[in-house]
Amino acid sequence: MDTVNTTLKMNHEELFTLLKGFITEVIGAEFVEEMDITPESSFTKDLEMDSIEIVSFSEKIKAHFGDQIDFTGWLSSMDLDQLINLDLSMIINYIYECQ
C-alpha cells in the first residue's frame, strides 16, 4: 500500500478506504476489528491513536502521495484543539482538495 500515486484523483470513498487501511496497518487489525471506523472517527478519542501512531500514519500518507500532499505542513498549521479534534473526514477532505 505504500506507493506514490500521482495519476488518478481518488474520490472521498476511495480515500476513506485507503486511510482506513493505513490505520489498520498502524494500530493493528485486531484493534480495528473492535472499532467502527467512520469518516467522523477522531484520531485521539475514537481511535485512541497516540502521537507515534499518528506520525506513522502520516508517513504512510507521504509514502503514498509523495510531494503532492504536504500532510505534515498541514498538521503543523493547526493549534492544539484542532489536533485533538482531528477526524478522518478532515484528512480526507484535505487530501481530496490537494490532488
Side-chain angles (χ1 to χ4, degrees):
M1 238 187 217
D2 293 348
T3 58
V4 175
N5 177 6
T6 57
T7 56
L8 299 174
K9 184 170 183 171
M10 299 175 77
N11 66 36
H12 285 80
E13 185 176 324
E14 292 167 330
L15 287 168
F16 171 71
T17 301
L18 176 70
L19 298 181
K20 185 177 177 182
F22 291 166
I23 291 167
T24 302
E25 291 174 21
V26 170
I27 65 176
E30 63 277 3
F31 295 112
V32 171
E33 288 175 5
E34 298 173 12
M35 299 177 175
D36 180 27
I37 299 177
T38 69
E40 291 75 33
S41 295
S42 161
F43 282 83
T44 55
K45 295 174 188 165
D46 299 321
L47 303 176
E48 299 177 4
M49 291 175 74
D50 61 28
S51 58
I52 301 222
E53 290 169 328
I54 292 172
V55 168
S56 179
F57 175 76
S58 29
E59 288 173 355
K60 291 189 175 296
I61 291 174
K62 175 75 172 168
H64 185 83
F65 291 100
D67 294 334
Q68 181 181 8
I69 306 292
D70 182 14
F71 187 66
T72 306
W74 180 66
L75 287 177
S76 68
S77 72
M78 295 182 177
D79 64 32
L80 185 57
D81 286 336
Q82 289 173 309
L83 288 170
I84 289 170
N85 294 313
L86 184 67
D87 67 29
L88 202 47
S89 69
M90 294 166 69
I91 296 171
I92 291 168
N93 289 334
Y94 172 71
I95 293 172
Y96 182 81
E97 293 301 320
C98 289
Q99 294 182 91

